[in-house]
Amino acid sequence: MKIIVLGSGVVGTTSAYFLARAGHEVSVVERQGGAALETSFANAGEVSSGMAAPWAAPGIPMKALRWLAMQHSPLVIRPSFDPRMWRWLFQMLGNCNPASYAVNKSRMVRLAEYSRDCLIALREETGIAYDHRSKGTLQVFRNPRQLDEAQDDIAVLKRYGVPHALFDAAGCETVEPALARVRGKIVGGLHLPGDETGDCFKFTQALARMAQDLGVVFRNGVEIRRLLHEGDAVTAVDTSLGELRADAFVMALGSYSPLMLAPLGIKIPVYPVKGYSITLPIIDAASAPESTIMEETYKVGITRLGERIRVGGTAEIAGYDLRLHPSRRATLVHAVSELFPGGGDVEQATFWCGLRPMTPDGTPLIGPTRYRKLFLNTGHGTLGWTMSCGSARVLADLVSGRAPEIDTEGLFMSRYGD
């Protein structure tokens, strides 16, 4: 089939690659000048299948109240009169119960584990390079309460056979030796040895080149205006190049997907949640992380990317506002300076933000819509990099009329009644 993918972030680009591998004629339409120049550009760098979990969890409402009072809060809400914001927040609160959390996390872990395996297979087949490391993730806890709260997540990891180990402070130092220099600041950690790290931007750019070798055409710098339909079938996309027609269309515009779908009457519960990162050069390798640290107090990921440290975090609910707030930079600097002082040069850090496309339950939307020829691959939140390859494989199978290799229960729009 002739297929048009809308968007060339990591999700759109992997979709294009695997669709082309399945034998389709694929083109990608992107408003930026190249792949991965928005949300995929400077994310935290974690391929963390073991850490896949919804933000909507039991106890989150009370935690959110505490976070809002913290100087270095992991959560910022900038209220507006946007009804979509409040609807999304109420839907998320509706998922903050044990039953919903168990279902949602199970779906996310299933997809994330499959995606990690797809990424490894892709790397072995192509030799793609993106500063990757396969040394796992260490979630560090500063107090015993955080250790206790991790037990529910550990139960899900056991259920799905995800390798993990619970360490005391000394055990954490065996995985991340630099933590010995800040002994006393953490009480323990959860190690997930199957997790990986890597530069999402480098990966996406390299994969786009490989997709071009398979015949994929990237139309960059093109404005996407609207989807056109005849009856119950999408037939074309209206762009600054004119109308582009195809046999199928894949919506992979991240946080902008709901804006493009709304005129069709498709209301997907995806809302932008802004995340920030800083990237700093390593000045003392012995004081820098070996892989990824998830700092539980500030909800910040600290990742080694080659000769750089990427620090990513913060959930800022502010619509489509892309302003860089200095207070968010201060939180990221504080987190890395607390655990890895002297590892990187914070004075030389570059500051960035991106809009994560979040669903209220954490699980992305992949698969068909009520319009024939229109498919979704969006709503991955903080896990677009983690879930990209698996999501793309599932999508390519569905578009091609094949049964995906994993259970797709809970991935379709039908879970929201559409």
Side-chain angles (χ1 to χ4, degrees):
M1 291 189 291
K2 183 177 181 181
I3 300 172
I4 293 177
V5 176
L6 304 177
S8 67
V10 67
V11 171
T13 301
T14 51
S15 297
Y17 176 83
F18 282 107
L19 285 166
R21 281 247 309 242
H24 300 292
E25 179 186 341
V26 183
S27 61
V28 180
V29 184
E30 166 61 46
R31 67 180 176 181
Q32 298 292 345
L37 292 177
E38 293 194 25
T39 302
S40 301
F41 181 69
N43 61 24
E46 306 159 38
V47 181
S48 298
S49 55
M51 294 294 295
W55 287 10
I60 283 295
M62 293 305 298
K63 285 183 181 180
L65 293 176
R66 293 199 303 267
W67 288 336
L68 291 172
M70 290 170 55
Q71 178 185 0
H72 295 294
S73 174
L75 173 66
V76 176
I77 300 177
R78 304 190 190 279
S80 75
F81 294 106
D82 181 3
R84 288 184 58 238
M85 173 190 288
W86 298 107
R87 187 182 308 116
W88 183 88
L89 282 169
F90 282 120
Q91 287 177 310
M92 182 179 176
L93 288 173
N95 279 276
C96 292
N97 60 80
S100 296
Y101 181 80
V103 170
N104 296 332
K105 183 174 176 65
S106 296
R107 290 169 175 167
M108 296 172 73
V109 169
R110 182 202 323 145
L111 178 59
E113 286 282 295
Y114 174 63
S115 188
R116 192 266 323 282
D117 294 342
C118 291
L119 174 60
I120 292 172
L122 174 66
R123 189 169 65 235
E124 291 174 348
E125 291 167 10
T126 66
I128 190 170
Y130 49 93
D131 285 340
H132 88 273
R133 289 189 171 208
S134 302
K135 295 188 176 183
T137 296
L138 180 67
Q139 183 181 16
V140 296
F141 307 115
R142 289 178 179 263
N143 58 64
R145 184 179 66 186
Q146 291 174 341
L147 272 170
D148 292 339
E149 291 173 346
Q151 296 307 312
D152 288 343
D153 286 339
I154 291 172
V156 176
L157 297 175
K158 288 179 179 178
R159 188 180 315 141
Y160 282 89
V162 180
H164 64 280
L166 197 60
F167 290 150
D168 59 13
C172 291
E173 293 172 13
T174 64
V175 176
E176 288 287 352
L179 292 176
R181 303 188 178 199
V182 293
R183 190 169 293 157
K185 289 191 175 181
I186 64 172
V187 299
L190 176 62
H191 186 229
L192 298 154
D195 284 3
E196 300 191 350
T197 60
D199 188 319
C200 183
F201 171 74
K202 287 187 175 182
F203 170 85
T204 309
Q205 290 261 308
L207 193 66
R209 292 190 291 271
M210 293 178 180
Q212 286 177 309
D213 292 340
L214 293 175
V216 176
V217 175
F218 284 81
R219 294 185 169 96
N220 297 321
V222 176
E223 178 190 355
I224 301 168
R225 294 170 179 160
R226 59 182 178 138
L227 292 167
L228 304 176
H229 68 97
E230 297 174 4
D232 66 347
V234 171
T235 55
V237 56
D238 180 26
T239 74
S240 54
L241 289 178
E243 291 184 11
L244 303 176
R245 305 184 74 84
D247 301 311
F249 301 83
V250 176
M251 176 61 63
L253 291 175
S255 295
Y256 296 90
S257 298
L259 305 183
M260 194 62 58
L261 293 167
L264 298 178
I266 300 175
K267 297 180 179 180
I268 62 170
V270 170
Y271 198 76
V273 177
K274 184 166 34 169
Y276 291 85
S277 76
I278 57 173
T279 306
L280 48 155
I282 291 174
I283 53 178
D284 178 9
S287 299
E290 285 294 316
S291 186
T292 288
I293 296 285
M294 281 300 300
E295 207 284 349
E296 181 64 16
T297 300
Y298 303 115
K299 300 293 185 181
V300 168
I302 305 170
T303 300
R304 175 77 168 262
L305 295 177
E307 298 305 313
R308 301 163 294 152
I309 300 173
R310 174 74 50 76
V311 188
T314 299
E316 182 174 303
I317 301 173
Y320 291 86
D321 179 7
L322 282 167
R323 286 178 292 179
L324 289 164
H325 294 279
S327 61
R328 299 297 88 208
R329 184 184 191 280
T331 293
L332 300 177
V333 168
H334 176 75
V336 70
S337 300
E338 281 263 292
L339 293 180
F340 298 99
D345 187 349
V346 295
E347 297 301 320
Q348 298 298 316
T350 57
F351 189 30
W352 172 89
C353 71
L355 300 177
R356 311 176 184 109
M358 301 285 294
T359 60
D361 60 12
T363 308
L365 294 164
I366 307 168
T369 67
R370 53 190 165 91
Y371 281 84
R372 289 186 294 113
K373 304 182 181 181
L374 177 61
F375 295 80
L376 302 179
N377 196 3
T378 190
H380 296 75
T382 59
L383 296 167
W385 179 201
T386 294
M387 293 182 170
S388 58
C389 287
S391 298
R393 283 285 301 273
V394 168
L395 176 88
D397 286 338
L398 291 170
V399 173
S400 303
R402 296 192 301 263
E405 295 177 327
I406 62 167
D407 182 4
T408 57
E409 184 279 323
L411 300 183
F412 298 168
M413 267 296 291
S414 57
R415 76 177 190 267
Y416 291 106
D418 195 325

